[in-house]
């Protein structure tokens, strides 16, 4: 069982930056697929970024070039650096952990294969 706790959310103006963190209760180096998701009010949850055990990353098109996912295995922590934030980035952000096939198949984008979820941290971007 992996417990995940997100932090780092807040309110910033458009163009600003935030770094989200996700602390894991166990060593995450062996977790084959870690990812960030978000859900805006009235919208479906969407995959934002994922990282596999080899450090390979994937991003949804809307955040490419602005967001960077990374992990520190020594600290059991997953990060999401978010730059050039836009009002449409406003959402609850969740981290999740899953098996390798979630990253290799791309199923993580829809949450497929992601077995463990945090409770989320709120990001609000004002124009």
């Amino acid at each position: 069982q992996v417990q995940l706790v997100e932090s780092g959310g807040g309110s910033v103006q458009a163009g600003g930056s935030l770094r989200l963190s996700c602390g894991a209760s166990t060593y995450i180096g062996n977790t084959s697929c870690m990812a960030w998701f978000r859900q805006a009010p009235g919208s479906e949850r969407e995959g934002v970024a994922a990282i596999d055990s080899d450090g390979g990353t994937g991003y949804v098109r809307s955040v490419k070039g602005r967001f960077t996912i990374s992990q520190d295995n020594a600290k059991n922590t997953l990060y999401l650096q978010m730059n050039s934030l836009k009002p449409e980035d406003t959402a609850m952000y969740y981290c999740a952990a899953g098996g390798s096939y979630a990253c290799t198949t791309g199923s993580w984008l829809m949450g497929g294969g992601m077995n463990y979820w945090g409770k989320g941290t709120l990001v609000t971007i004002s124009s």
Side-chain angles (χ1 to χ4, degrees), residues 12-57:
V12 299
Q13 289 189 325
S17 299
L18 282 172
R19 188 177 80 157
L20 306 183
S21 299
C22 173
S25 59
T26 62
Y27 177 61
I28 63 173
N30 292 329
T31 301
S32 297
C33 192
M34 300 287 294
W36 287 97
F37 294 79
R38 64 187 181 186
Q39 187 167 18
S43 300
E44 293 187 355
R45 183 187 65 198
E46 68 168 344
V48 175
I51 185 167
D52 64 26
S53 57
D54 294 324
T57 58

Side-chain angles (χ1 to χ4, degrees), residues 34-117:
M34 300 287 294
W36 287 97
F37 294 79
R38 64 187 181 186
Q39 187 167 18
S43 300
E44 293 187 355
R45 183 187 65 198
E46 68 168 344
V48 175
I51 185 167
D52 64 26
S53 57
D54 294 324
T57 58
Y59 299 89
V60 69
R61 183 176 298 181
S62 61
V63 307
K64 279 183 179 179
R66 299 189 299 123
F67 291 11
T68 303
I69 188 171
S70 62
Q71 63 183 34
D72 185 334
N73 293 338
K75 296 182 178 180
N76 292 342
T77 303
L78 179 73
Y79 300 101
L80 185 68
Q81 177 66 45
M82 306 187 296
N83 299 328
S84 302
L85 284 161
K86 304 175 181 180
E88 51 264 43
D89 294 318
T90 294
M92 186 72 79
Y93 283 71
Y94 303 88
C95 69
S100 60
Y101 64 91
C103 276
T104 56
T105 65
S107 67
W108 69 270
L109 274 166
M110 299 300 294
M114 306 307 289
N115 304 312
Y116 304 101
W117 295 80

